[in-house]
Amino acid sequence: MIGKLNHVAIAVNDLDAAVALYRDTLGAKVSEAVDQPDHGVVTVFVELPNTKIELLYPLGDDSPIKGFLAKNKSGGIHHLCYEVEDIYAARDKLLEAGMRILGSGEPRIGAHGKRILFLHPKDLLGTLVELEEV
Ligand code: CO
């Protein structure tokens, strides 16, 4: 059911430093920072030949990554995103398997303008997983 690894998201406490690290030190192609008010984050995408790294920085007082960053002062891997062809079919199959979908359970539009869902980390080996329809 799951396809390619679309991205690995890393939450950061200093976006400028994270961009400089990936662009200047690691020599990767890095996008502009984009505010995602619907998701409470600022995103920067690092383009790698086989996948992307999504740098996440909190936006607003109730950003969903604030608690994570309070616990992880140097930042850390926040979630993995796998591609699926049909997000509704994937969701229904996972719900049948007893997995929990975060939020309303309905797909939302993610940072790439595509449908996404997040699955409960306790159901996935302690890893927050995003599914994105491609
Ligand atoms: Co993501």
Side-chain angles (χ1 to χ4, degrees), residues 6-9 43 45 54 56 78-81 111-112 116 118 130 132:
N6 185 275
H7 61 268
V8 175
T43 54
F45 281 94
E54 179 183 58
L56 295 175
H78 184 262
H79 64 266
L80 302 180
C81 177
H112 304 106
I116 60 159
F118 281 95
E130 176 181 16
E132 180 175 297

PDB file of all heavy atoms in Angstrom, residues 6-9 43 45 54 56 78-81 111-112 116 118 130 132, ligand 1:
ATOM      1  N   ASN A   6       8.240  10.039   0.834  1.00  0.00           N
ATOM      2  CA  ASN A   6       8.126  11.383   0.252  1.00  0.00           C
ATOM      3  C   ASN A   6       9.068  12.365   0.942  1.00  0.00           C
ATOM      4  O   ASN A   6       9.752  13.142   0.295  1.00  0.00           O
ATOM      5  CB  ASN A   6       6.680  11.867   0.324  1.00  0.00           C
ATOM      6  CG  ASN A   6       6.501  13.196  -0.373  1.00  0.00           C
ATOM      7  OD1 ASN A   6       6.724  14.243   0.219  1.00  0.00           O
ATOM      8  ND2 ASN A   6       6.139  13.161  -1.651  1.00  0.00           N
ATOM      9  N   HIS A   7       9.065  12.338   2.270  1.00  0.00           N
ATOM     10  CA  HIS A   7      10.012  13.186   3.010  1.00  0.00           C
ATOM     11  C   HIS A   7      10.191  12.720   4.439  1.00  0.00           C
ATOM     12  O   HIS A   7       9.373  11.973   4.960  1.00  0.00           O
ATOM     13  CB  HIS A   7       9.604  14.668   2.994  1.00  0.00           C
ATOM     14  CG  HIS A   7       8.267  14.975   3.617  1.00  0.00           C
ATOM     15  ND1 HIS A   7       7.093  15.013   2.883  1.00  0.00           N
ATOM     16  CD2 HIS A   7       7.902  15.265   4.885  1.00  0.00           C
ATOM     17  CE1 HIS A   7       6.094  15.323   3.674  1.00  0.00           C
ATOM     18  NE2 HIS A   7       6.537  15.470   4.908  1.00  0.00           N
ATOM     19  N   VAL A   8      11.277  13.186   5.021  1.00  0.00           N
ATOM     20  CA  VAL A   8      11.537  13.044   6.450  1.00  0.00           C
ATOM     21  C   VAL A   8      11.448  14.461   7.011  1.00  0.00           C
ATOM     22  O   VAL A   8      12.081  15.375   6.475  1.00  0.00           O
ATOM     23  CB  VAL A   8      12.953  12.481   6.719  1.00  0.00           C
ATOM     24  CG1 VAL A   8      13.250  12.448   8.210  1.00  0.00           C
ATOM     25  CG2 VAL A   8      13.106  11.107   6.085  1.00  0.00           C
ATOM     26  N   ALA A   9      10.624  14.663   8.040  1.00  0.00           N
ATOM     27  CA  ALA A   9      10.466  16.000   8.604  1.00  0.00           C
ATOM     28  C   ALA A   9      11.315  16.132   9.859  1.00  0.00           C
ATOM     29  O   ALA A   9      11.294  15.257  10.737  1.00  0.00           O
ATOM     30  CB  ALA A   9       9.010  16.276   8.926  1.00  0.00           C
ATOM     31  N   THR A  43       7.590  25.856   6.652  1.00  0.00           N
ATOM     32  CA  THR A  43       8.291  24.722   6.055  1.00  0.00           C
ATOM     33  C   THR A  43       9.368  25.195   5.080  1.00  0.00           C
ATOM     34  O   THR A  43       9.208  26.195   4.374  1.00  0.00           O
ATOM     35  CB  THR A  43       7.332  23.795   5.267  1.00  0.00           C
ATOM     36  OG1 THR A  43       6.614  24.574   4.308  1.00  0.00           O
ATOM     37  CG2 THR A  43       6.356  23.085   6.181  1.00  0.00           C
ATOM     38  N   PHE A  45      11.810  23.018   2.255  1.00  0.00           N
ATOM     39  CA  PHE A  45      12.102  21.688   1.712  1.00  0.00           C
ATOM     40  C   PHE A  45      13.517  21.619   1.177  1.00  0.00           C
ATOM     41  O   PHE A  45      13.970  22.510   0.461  1.00  0.00           O
ATOM     42  CB  PHE A  45      11.086  21.292   0.636  1.00  0.00           C
ATOM     43  CG  PHE A  45       9.803  20.814   1.245  1.00  0.00           C
ATOM     44  CD1 PHE A  45       8.739  21.685   1.454  1.00  0.00           C
ATOM     45  CD2 PHE A  45       9.685  19.507   1.683  1.00  0.00           C
ATOM     46  CE1 PHE A  45       7.565  21.260   2.063  1.00  0.00           C
ATOM     47  CE2 PHE A  45       8.515  19.065   2.292  1.00  0.00           C
ATOM     48  CZ  PHE A  45       7.460  19.938   2.477  1.00  0.00           C
ATOM     49  N   GLU A  54      11.985  17.829   5.137  1.00  0.00           N
ATOM     50  CA  GLU A  54      11.087  18.948   5.427  1.00  0.00           C
ATOM     51  C   GLU A  54      11.546  19.549   6.753  1.00  0.00           C
ATOM     52  O   GLU A  54      11.438  18.883   7.784  1.00  0.00           O
ATOM     53  CB  GLU A  54       9.654  18.408   5.542  1.00  0.00           C
ATOM     54  CG  GLU A  54       8.590  19.432   5.856  1.00  0.00           C
ATOM     55  CD  GLU A  54       7.214  18.769   6.028  1.00  0.00           C
ATOM     56  OE1 GLU A  54       7.077  17.886   6.901  1.00  0.00           O
ATOM     57  OE2 GLU A  54       6.292  19.129   5.310  1.00  0.00           O
ATOM     58  N   LEU A  56      10.848  21.919   9.709  1.00  0.00           N
ATOM     59  CA  LEU A  56       9.632  22.486  10.308  1.00  0.00           C
ATOM     60  C   LEU A  56      10.012  23.437  11.433  1.00  0.00           C
ATOM     61  O   LEU A  56      10.796  23.084  12.311  1.00  0.00           O
ATOM     62  CB  LEU A  56       8.775  21.376  10.936  1.00  0.00           C
ATOM     63  CG  LEU A  56       8.176  20.330  10.020  1.00  0.00           C
ATOM     64  CD1 LEU A  56       7.469  19.277  10.865  1.00  0.00           C
ATOM     65  CD2 LEU A  56       7.203  20.992   9.058  1.00  0.00           C
ATOM     66  N   HIS A  78      10.735  14.502  13.306  1.00  0.00           N
ATOM     67  CA  HIS A  78       9.358  14.683  13.763  1.00  0.00           C
ATOM     68  C   HIS A  78       8.408  13.673  13.141  1.00  0.00           C
ATOM     69  O   HIS A  78       7.556  13.120  13.806  1.00  0.00           O
ATOM     70  CB  HIS A  78       8.914  16.111  13.447  1.00  0.00           C
ATOM     71  CG  HIS A  78       7.553  16.441  13.951  1.00  0.00           C
ATOM     72  ND1 HIS A  78       6.427  16.400  13.149  1.00  0.00           N
ATOM     73  CD2 HIS A  78       7.130  16.801  15.184  1.00  0.00           C
ATOM     74  CE1 HIS A  78       5.374  16.738  13.874  1.00  0.00           C
ATOM     75  NE2 HIS A  78       5.760  16.978  15.106  1.00  0.00           N
ATOM     76  N   HIS A  79       8.512  13.459  11.830  1.00  0.00           N
ATOM     77  CA  HIS A  79       7.686  12.435  11.189  1.00  0.00           C
ATOM     78  C   HIS A  79       8.293  11.965   9.877  1.00  0.00           C
ATOM     79  O   HIS A  79       9.205  12.592   9.337  1.00  0.00           O
ATOM     80  CB  HIS A  79       6.244  12.932  10.965  1.00  0.00           C
ATOM     81  CG  HIS A  79       6.091  14.083  10.021  1.00  0.00           C
ATOM     82  ND1 HIS A  79       6.050  15.390  10.425  1.00  0.00           N
ATOM     83  CD2 HIS A  79       5.963  14.129   8.670  1.00  0.00           C
ATOM     84  CE1 HIS A  79       5.897  16.183   9.367  1.00  0.00           C
ATOM     85  NE2 HIS A  79       5.842  15.439   8.289  1.00  0.00           N
ATOM     86  N   LEU A  80       7.760  10.843   9.406  1.00  0.00           N
ATOM     87  CA  LEU A  80       8.091  10.316   8.081  1.00  0.00           C
ATOM     88  C   LEU A  80       6.850  10.435   7.237  1.00  0.00           C
ATOM     89  O   LEU A  80       5.734  10.287   7.748  1.00  0.00           O
ATOM     90  CB  LEU A  80       8.475   8.837   8.164  1.00  0.00           C
ATOM     91  CG  LEU A  80       9.636   8.469   9.072  1.00  0.00           C
ATOM     92  CD1 LEU A  80       9.861   6.962   9.027  1.00  0.00           C
ATOM     93  CD2 LEU A  80      10.900   9.203   8.663  1.00  0.00           C
ATOM     94  N   CYS A  81       7.007  10.694   5.945  1.00  0.00           N
ATOM     95  CA  CYS A  81       5.852  10.774   5.050  1.00  0.00           C
ATOM     96  C   CYS A  81       5.988   9.749   3.940  1.00  0.00           C
ATOM     97  O   CYS A  81       6.954   9.782   3.171  1.00  0.00           O
ATOM     98  CB  CYS A  81       5.729  12.175   4.465  1.00  0.00           C
ATOM     99  SG  CYS A  81       4.362  12.305   3.293  1.00  0.00           S
ATOM    100  N   ALA A 111       1.270  20.541   2.907  1.00  0.00           N
ATOM    101  CA  ALA A 111       2.197  21.575   2.443  1.00  0.00           C
ATOM    102  C   ALA A 111       2.439  21.520   0.933  1.00  0.00           C
ATOM    103  O   ALA A 111       2.882  22.499   0.343  1.00  0.00           O
ATOM    104  CB  ALA A 111       3.525  21.463   3.186  1.00  0.00           C
ATOM    105  N   HIS A 112       2.160  20.366   0.303  1.00  0.00           N
ATOM    106  CA  HIS A 112       2.367  20.282  -1.149  1.00  0.00           C
ATOM    107  C   HIS A 112       1.071  20.451  -1.923  1.00  0.00           C
ATOM    108  O   HIS A 112       1.013  20.159  -3.124  1.00  0.00           O
ATOM    109  CB  HIS A 112       2.954  18.915  -1.529  1.00  0.00           C
ATOM    110  CG  HIS A 112       4.221  18.601  -0.825  1.00  0.00           C
ATOM    111  ND1 HIS A 112       4.301  17.681   0.197  1.00  0.00           N
ATOM    112  CD2 HIS A 112       5.456  19.109  -0.965  1.00  0.00           C
ATOM    113  CE1 HIS A 112       5.535  17.636   0.624  1.00  0.00           C
ATOM    114  NE2 HIS A 112       6.264  18.489  -0.053  1.00  0.00           N
ATOM    115  N   ILE A 116      -3.432  14.762   2.807  1.00  0.00           N
ATOM    116  CA  ILE A 116      -2.583  14.089   3.802  1.00  0.00           C
ATOM    117  C   ILE A 116      -3.400  13.629   4.997  1.00  0.00           C
ATOM    118  O   ILE A 116      -4.503  14.129   5.250  1.00  0.00           O
ATOM    119  CB  ILE A 116      -1.458  15.025   4.321  1.00  0.00           C
ATOM    120  CG1 ILE A 116      -2.062  16.280   4.991  1.00  0.00           C
ATOM    121  CG2 ILE A 116      -0.507  15.414   3.205  1.00  0.00           C
ATOM    122  CD1 ILE A 116      -1.130  16.972   5.944  1.00  0.00           C
ATOM    123  N   PHE A 118      -2.362  12.038   9.215  1.00  0.00           N
ATOM    124  CA  PHE A 118      -1.330  11.614  10.160  1.00  0.00           C
ATOM    125  C   PHE A 118      -1.857  10.447  10.978  1.00  0.00           C
ATOM    126  O   PHE A 118      -3.022  10.451  11.403  1.00  0.00           O
ATOM    127  CB  PHE A 118      -0.941  12.768  11.093  1.00  0.00           C
ATOM    128  CG  PHE A 118      -0.003  13.759  10.457  1.00  0.00           C
ATOM    129  CD1 PHE A 118      -0.492  14.909   9.862  1.00  0.00           C
ATOM    130  CD2 PHE A 118       1.366  13.538  10.462  1.00  0.00           C
ATOM    131  CE1 PHE A 118       0.376  15.831   9.270  1.00  0.00           C
ATOM    132  CE2 PHE A 118       2.238  14.450   9.876  1.00  0.00           C
ATOM    133  CZ  PHE A 118       1.739  15.596   9.281  1.00  0.00           C
ATOM    134  N   GLU A 130       3.002  10.386   8.305  1.00  0.00           N
ATOM    135  CA  GLU A 130       2.099  11.143   7.439  1.00  0.00           C
ATOM    136  C   GLU A 130       1.923  10.328   6.159  1.00  0.00           C
ATOM    137  O   GLU A 130       2.889   9.769   5.643  1.00  0.00           O
ATOM    138  CB  GLU A 130       2.774  12.503   7.122  1.00  0.00           C
ATOM    139  CG  GLU A 130       1.995  13.377   6.151  1.00  0.00           C
ATOM    140  CD  GLU A 130       2.730  14.697   5.874  1.00  0.00           C
ATOM    141  OE1 GLU A 130       3.923  14.832   6.167  1.00  0.00           O
ATOM    142  OE2 GLU A 130       2.060  15.614   5.335  1.00  0.00           O
ATOM    143  N   GLU A 132       0.642  10.788   2.246  1.00  0.00           N
ATOM    144  CA  GLU A 132       0.310  11.813   1.248  1.00  0.00           C
ATOM    145  C   GLU A 132      -0.138  11.128  -0.033  1.00  0.00           C
ATOM    146  O   GLU A 132       0.524  10.221  -0.532  1.00  0.00           O
ATOM    147  CB  GLU A 132       1.535  12.688   0.976  1.00  0.00           C
ATOM    148  CG  GLU A 132       1.241  13.784  -0.051  1.00  0.00           C
ATOM    149  CD  GLU A 132       2.430  14.742  -0.221  1.00  0.00           C
ATOM    150  OE1 GLU A 132       2.790  15.412   0.758  1.00  0.00           O
ATOM    151  OE2 GLU A 132       2.979  14.790  -1.314  1.00  0.00           O
TER     152      GLU A 132
HETATM  153 CO    CO B   1       5.337  16.317   6.381  1.00  0.00          CO
END
